[in-house]
Amino acid sequence: MKVSYNWLKDLLNFPYSPEELDAVLTETGLEVEGIEHIEDIKGGLKGVVVGEVLTCEKHPDADKLKVTTVNVGTAEPLQIVCGAPNVAQGQKVLVATVGTTLYPQPDQAFEIKKAKIRGVASEGMLCAEDELGLGSSHDGILVLDSNKLVGTPAAELFELQNDAQLEIGLTPNRSDAMGHLGVCRDIRAYMHAQLNLSSDLIWPQIAEIQNSGSALQIDIVDQEACKAYYGIELTNIKVEASPAWLQSRLRAVGIKPINNVVDVSNYVMRELGTPLHIFDASKIKGNATVRQAKKGEKFIALDEQTYELQGTELLIADQNGPLCLAGIMGGKESGVQENTTHILIESAVFDAVSVRKAARIHGFNTDASFRFERGVDPDLTLYALKRCVYLLQQITQAKQHSQLFTFEGNTAPAISLELNLQQVNQLIGTPLDTALIESILTDLDFEILEKQPTQLLIRVPRYRVDVTRPIDVIEEILRIYGLNQVPLPEKWNFSLPVRPRFYPEKHKESVSEFLVGRGYSEILNNSLTKLAYAEKISSSKPQEAIQLLNPLSQDLGILRQSLLFGLLECLQYNQNRQQSNLRIFEFGQHYNQQNEKRQEKSQLALALMGQHTAENWQNTDAKALKFNFFDLKAEVQSLFERFGLANKIEEASIQDPHFEDGIAFELNGKCLAQMGWVSAEIQTAFDLKQRPFIALINWDDLMHAIRKQQIVFQELPKSFAVRRDLSLLIAKEIKYNDLKIAAQKAERKLLQDVNLFDVYEGKNLADGMKSYALSFYLQDAQQTLTDKHIEKSMQQILQALEKDCGAKLRM
């Protein structure tokens, strides 16, 4: 939320500069995210002063130039060459002195320097209107009234006002600070507590509403969603551009001026934090009605878009249909136009939940909905309407046409709380004087109903919807007293945390460090994602997606069903920014529902894309430099080895439909991980120019497997391992893993490892056959193997390979 420094000063007299105010607001909980200095004219006309032309003579070497001497209040007059046709002796003019930077346009700047023009020295410039940024005329220099004092700065002459825009990161609970008046309330309390300076808020002037005119009838049908409603009609309206001061104020908070009527409503909203809406009363047919929308009803908003209503939204309507989506946006047909002369002003309290739901359904995020969703001050609603009437009467000469319409329904009453003073001191960590506590609460509009030595009975202002418990009141006291004021104790007492014997977070940290050490970068995606992924990609299951009732946007409509799509989004984002060689991983949760039962599981996702090594003079083979399936497989197997599961894992066919091909890793029939490459449909959907290799590891199941692991010490073997190689002919559909499993089953005691070191397919082999060369490592930990033992084991292995896999020894 943007606030204007000058505007705050108009509502409260405080001693802080914009930079000091930044620190003050941040300390009170209204964190300032940035300050932007604003000038009525860029550069502020610094260096431009009033001068008097003492002499004006023709340039000796140019027909259209004149040489002048100008008194600008310095010891010596300045010689300035000027080409304006209207320059003359005795004039009061504006002079840009040497070193001045002018901005004829906000994005155009030029500096005034000493120069020689056709051989004559010139020490400044006599300025035209457009050169100063004061207008568009360039017919000649700007000539001032003769009574202007020489040397007067132009900024002072034109009463330029510089301002500072402070952008506050307003948290959802601080509905009290949605206008300048609410921000001033915090400043008042802070400077009273910190500087012992007391100052009253300067309440804006309001109109006196007369009990005259025609009765205004508005039908409040939905009294649950509409808590309070005030309305009044004004006539004699003349719609035109707003006065300069009003336009300047709105620009200072980032609002573009539209016309005087709309600008006044925006001004009051930013001043008091209370949204208003103004209708063209001549467009309302019959009585205005506050009701719930009808399902399928059409509404054309001010943004000229047509919205189909769901039947749950709150409307202001007439006999012809919707006029306004209550608390969110007005309708195009009933909006204020250039020819509007008769208006209806609305100031209301709408149910925060109702407004939020309607705004989320249709994707709105307006200034009005921002405030209604957080809760507006019911005690300021009528005041805001009277303020709006006053400004319109001053600016447009508007006249009251109707009586004031008033509906005060079921607004929340003010609550009372008992505040234990001992608890205040205990929780803050330092003793506070009771008078200081009372002062802070009073400055924040809390009413002290009863005082006792150990406690206070207080009434919470109705606009503080976030203060419901004594602890909330203590927080209010602390943020004004200042966290930095609480002294650090000389002694700290705390308990050491006790970790369980099995701590999954420790394993997560260990794996993260392991992957980062291997060149991976960790990413973190939002657990909310697009429903479109589940609907448009055929391999997904949208029926199992958990949808949000009121998503912030269509891009955040469901809880993610897999970490896969976030991974692919990250690859696409980096690819589009010329970062195409990637190793990334992510830990996160994914969510599904089946038969109304919802599940949340942890997952570790890895991705490789592009090249693992940059092209260089030693290796120019682009294909050899690229990541492949086996690079990722090695990473996954390394993780299993790290947890002592490598010898227990079995490979199986991949089941995840998002993958075109790949493998799964299983332990005791349960899938621990799946890896491969995504389908062409998904690769095209994300516009990935290179094929990524993805691994999805079921972290919960992996942790469950590790929990059951027992670490057993094993003595180093006393003998050496023996290697024997076999060259086998096998059918093309036989996998290396099939051979490995068959060999391990045949020789469980001595066989330590199996390795594939050569593959051949081609000439001299029968159709449908291939050749694998395998190495087998045999070892007995207690004794050296004899040839007899080795031959026996190898025969058992060969027989198993022939029987289980149809392998034949290649001669």
Side-chain angles (χ1 to χ4, degrees):
M1 186 186 79
K2 297 174 181 177
V3 297
S4 157
Y5 176 80
N6 288 345
W7 202 338
L8 293 172
K9 292 282 287 184
D10 285 348
L11 297 173
L12 179 70
N13 182 24
F14 56 83
Y16 305 113
S17 68
E19 287 69 27
E20 290 169 336
L21 189 60
D22 175 349
V24 168
L25 292 176
T26 299
E27 191 166 344
T28 64
L30 299 175
E31 183 179 358
V32 176
E33 298 175 342
I35 300 178
E36 180 184 346
H37 289 277
I38 299 171
E39 299 168 320
D40 282 351
I41 296 176
K42 190 167 184 181
L45 298 183
K46 293 176 183 177
V48 180
V49 297
V50 175
E52 181 180 5
V53 181
L54 301 178
T55 64
C56 180
E57 299 177 356
K58 185 177 178 299
H59 192 288
D61 201 23
D63 292 338
K64 294 185 178 181
L65 297 179
K66 294 178 183 177
V67 180
T68 67
T69 55
V70 184
N71 176 19
V72 293
T74 56
E76 296 292 332
L78 304 178
Q79 179 173 283
I80 299 174
V81 177
C82 179
N86 65 329
V87 62
Q89 182 179 354
Q91 289 175 335
K92 296 287 181 71
V93 295
L94 288 174
V95 182
T97 56
V98 172
T100 299
T101 300
L102 297 179
Y103 295 86
Q105 298 293 332
D107 57 345
Q108 296 177 4
F110 70 90
E111 184 181 351
I112 307 300
K113 300 177 180 179
K114 287 185 179 181
K116 277 193 175 183
I117 302 176
R118 295 287 184 94
V120 178
S122 182
E123 299 177 298
M125 185 175 81
L126 306 186
C127 300
E129 183 180 286
D130 64 332
E131 292 165 335
L132 295 170
L134 293 171
S136 57
S137 174
H138 195 69
D139 294 337
I141 61 171
L142 187 62
V143 179
L144 305 174
D145 293 339
S146 59
N147 60 353
K148 302 304 179 187
L149 186 63
V150 170
T152 303
E156 182 181 325
L157 181 71
F158 292 107
E159 298 180 348
L160 298 185
Q161 287 193 349
N162 296 334
D163 200 353
Q165 180 192 94
L166 292 85
E167 184 156 3
I168 297 173
L170 196 65
T171 53
N173 64 309
R174 292 302 307 277
S175 60
D176 61 299
M178 293 188 299
H180 284 72
L181 193 70
V183 176
C184 284
R185 190 184 294 114
D186 272 14
I187 300 171
R188 174 184 66 175
Y190 184 88
M191 73 179 189
H192 194 186
Q194 302 294 332
L195 305 178
N196 198 27
L197 290 177
S198 180
S199 182
D200 292 331
L201 294 176
I202 303 169
W203 284 84
Q205 194 166 351
I206 60 176
E208 291 187 12
I209 304 298
Q210 305 298 320
N211 189 23
S212 60
S214 59
L216 176 61
Q217 182 61 43
I218 299 174
D219 299 326
I220 312 296
V221 177
D222 190 342
Q223 298 186 8
E224 289 297 318
C226 180
K227 308 291 187 181
Y229 197 100
Y230 302 95
I232 194 169
E233 290 184 3
L234 302 181
T235 55
N236 199 39
I237 296 292
K238 184 179 180 182
V239 178
E240 56 189 4
S242 296
W245 70 266
L246 180 53
Q247 294 191 39
S248 177
R249 277 290 157 87
L250 293 179
R251 289 194 184 98
V253 293
I255 296 179
K256 181 181 178 181
I258 298 173
N259 60 55
N260 50 5
V261 177
V262 175
D263 291 350
V264 163
S265 67
N266 285 331
Y267 179 88
V268 174
M269 177 176 65
R270 290 307 184 104
E271 185 174 53
L272 302 177
T274 301
L276 303 171
H277 188 68
I278 300 180
F279 302 88
D280 185 332
S282 66
K283 304 289 180 65
I284 301 174
K285 306 304 178 186
N287 291 341
T289 304
V290 182
R291 62 170 173 82
Q292 197 173 66
K294 301 171 185 175
K295 187 172 179 59
E297 199 168 11
K298 298 291 194 297
F299 170 63
I300 303 174
L302 283 171
D303 61 4
E304 299 185 355
Q305 299 294 316
T306 301
Y307 297 89
E308 183 173 334
L309 304 180
Q310 304 296 308
T312 58
E313 304 91 339
L314 184 68
L315 295 178
I316 289 85
D318 65 5
Q319 63 188 25
N320 291 340
L323 299 171
C324 174
L325 200 54
I328 300 174
M329 183 175 281
K332 180 184 177 182
E333 296 301 322
S334 62
V336 174
Q337 306 293 330
E338 289 183 1
N339 59 353
T340 299
T341 59
H342 182 189
I343 62 172
L344 166 64
I345 304 173
E346 164 198 282
S347 185
V349 179
F350 298 122
D351 180 65
V353 175
S354 172
V355 171
R356 177 173 175 78
K357 285 183 177 180
R360 295 295 83 79
I361 287 172
H362 299 290
F364 284 116
N365 186 18
T366 63
D367 277 344
S369 67
F370 174 85
R371 286 162 173 78
F372 279 117
E373 287 173 22
R374 287 157 175 77
V376 298
D377 184 357
D379 294 327
L380 267 186
T381 310
L382 179 56
Y383 188 94
L385 181 138
K386 292 180 178 180
R387 173 64 171 161
C388 182
V389 171
Y390 173 81
L391 290 171
L392 288 173
Q393 287 174 340
Q394 297 299 311
I395 293 171
T396 71
Q397 307 303 312
K399 295 180 180 178
Q400 182 179 335
H401 177 74
S402 74
Q403 297 175 15
L404 176 69
F405 172 82
T406 301
F407 167 73
E408 295 176 350
N410 187 26
T411 54
I415 63 170
S416 298
L417 297 172
E418 290 183 354
L419 183 65
N420 186 299
L421 297 176
Q422 184 178 356
Q423 186 184 27
V424 172
N425 295 329
Q426 183 180 2
L427 289 176
I428 289 179
T430 189
L432 300 185
D433 187 71
T434 303
L436 176 60
I437 294 173
E438 293 177 10
S439 170
I440 291 172
L441 292 175
T442 301
D443 287 338
L444 293 175
D445 286 352
F446 289 81
E447 184 181 355
I448 299 174
L449 302 175
E450 185 179 323
K451 299 180 188 179
Q452 293 183 10
T454 58
Q455 72 176 25
L456 299 175
L457 179 64
I458 61 174
R459 178 178 290 139
V460 180
R462 290 207 294 168
Y463 60 81
R464 291 308 304 267
V465 294
D466 59 316
V467 179
T468 58
R469 305 164 299 168
I471 190 67
D472 298 328
V473 180
I474 296 173
E475 181 185 351
E476 292 297 297
I477 296 169
L478 177 58
R479 70 181 182 85
I480 299 301
Y481 176 72
L483 282 168
N484 295 331
Q485 298 289 103
V486 179
L488 293 175
E490 295 180 0
K491 180 182 178 182
W492 290 89
N493 296 318
F494 56 89
S495 301
L496 292 172
V498 179
R499 285 186 176 179
R501 190 170 183 179
F502 181 78
Y503 190 55
E505 286 299 318
K506 186 68 177 175
H507 290 296
K508 187 179 289 187
E509 291 173 11
S510 174
V511 170
S512 295
E513 292 171 358
F514 170 73
L515 291 171
V516 169
R518 295 173 76 93
Y520 283 76
S521 297
E522 185 172 9
I523 65 171
L524 183 63
N525 285 305
N526 199 324
S527 58
L528 299 174
T529 188
K530 301 176 182 178
L531 179 60
Y533 290 150
E535 292 178 337
K536 294 181 181 179
I537 295 175
S538 58
S539 54
S540 297
K541 298 178 180 179
Q543 69 277 9
E544 295 182 5
I546 300 175
Q547 298 190 34
L548 273 66
L549 292 176
N550 299 300
L552 291 173
S553 73
Q554 296 304 312
D555 289 346
L556 303 172
I558 64 169
L559 290 168
R560 61 186 173 190
Q561 295 175 274
S562 168
L563 269 61
L564 172 64
F565 296 120
L567 220 60
L568 295 173
E569 280 183 344
C570 184
L571 293 175
Q572 180 193 43
Y573 182 89
N574 281 273
Q575 168 198 270
N576 294 343
R577 286 155 183 80
Q578 298 183 322
Q579 301 295 321
S580 54
N581 302 322
L582 296 166
R583 292 181 174 97
I584 57 175
F585 75 96
E586 180 181 12
F587 281 102
Q589 310 299 108
H590 65 105
Y591 313 84
N592 286 283
Q593 62 180 356
Q594 292 180 338
N595 300 323
E596 298 184 356
K597 183 180 180 181
R598 294 175 178 175
Q599 295 180 324
E600 176 183 352
K601 294 183 178 180
S602 298
Q603 198 172 62
L604 166 62
L606 291 80
L608 297 177
M609 189 176 78
Q611 296 181 339
H612 52 74
T613 306
E615 189 175 338
N616 58 75
W617 64 274
Q618 291 179 310
N619 193 343
T620 58
D621 184 356
K623 186 175 181 181
L625 299 175
K626 287 188 174 182
F627 287 118
N628 59 46
F629 172 81
F630 296 100
D631 291 323
L632 187 57
K633 183 178 179 182
E635 304 287 14
V636 176
Q637 288 178 325
S638 295
L639 283 176
F640 290 144
E641 288 175 6
R642 190 176 182 84
F643 291 123
L645 298 174
N647 294 330
K648 301 178 182 180
I649 295 292
E650 296 181 354
E651 294 182 13
S653 298
I654 194 166
Q655 301 297 320
D656 193 324
H658 294 114
F659 290 92
E660 184 175 299
D661 201 359
I663 57 173
F665 296 94
E666 294 183 350
L667 178 64
N668 300 327
K670 180 171 285 189
C671 180
L672 291 187
Q674 298 186 84
M675 60 159 291
W677 52 93
V678 295
S679 66
E681 179 192 12
I682 293 178
Q683 184 176 343
T684 302
F686 284 87
D687 193 26
L688 295 174
K689 297 178 176 61
Q690 303 179 82
R691 172 175 285 175
F693 298 96
I694 307 289
L696 301 176
I697 299 170
N698 300 322
W699 187 253
D700 290 336
D701 294 334
L702 180 60
M703 290 297 99
H704 182 72
I706 295 170
R707 188 189 292 269
K708 291 185 174 182
Q709 279 281 95
Q710 289 187 348
I711 299 174
V712 180
F713 168 77
Q714 186 173 345
E715 188 180 359
L716 288 172
K718 298 177 180 179
S719 61
F720 296 102
V722 176
R723 170 176 168 168
R724 290 291 185 270
D725 297 341
L726 294 177
S727 182
L728 303 171
L729 283 173
I730 56 175
K732 283 189 175 182
E733 61 269 16
I734 299 298
K735 298 178 181 178
Y736 160 69
N737 196 55
D738 298 332
L739 300 172
K740 183 178 180 180
I741 292 172
Q744 289 172 334
K745 286 181 179 179
E747 179 52 85
R748 297 181 182 275
K749 181 180 178 183
L750 301 181
L751 184 60
Q752 303 298 319
D753 196 12
V754 182
N755 184 47
L756 173 66
F757 65 88
D758 186 55
V759 178
Y760 175 74
E761 295 182 52
K763 293 181 181 180
N764 303 323
L765 293 183
D767 290 341
M769 303 296 287
K770 61 184 177 182
S771 172
Y772 273 9
L774 303 176
S775 57
F776 301 86
Y777 295 87
L778 304 171
Q779 186 177 33
D780 189 323
Q782 301 301 321
Q783 61 182 353
T784 302
L785 293 175
T786 64
D787 289 343
K788 183 178 179 180
H789 287 134
I790 296 169
E791 185 62 28
K792 180 181 178 182
S793 295
M794 291 305 297
Q795 284 298 322
Q796 290 174 347
I797 291 171
L798 183 58
Q799 289 171 8
L801 294 175
E802 290 174 345
K803 179 181 178 183
D804 296 347
C805 303
K808 294 181 181 180
L809 197 61
R810 187 180 180 192
M811 306 304 292

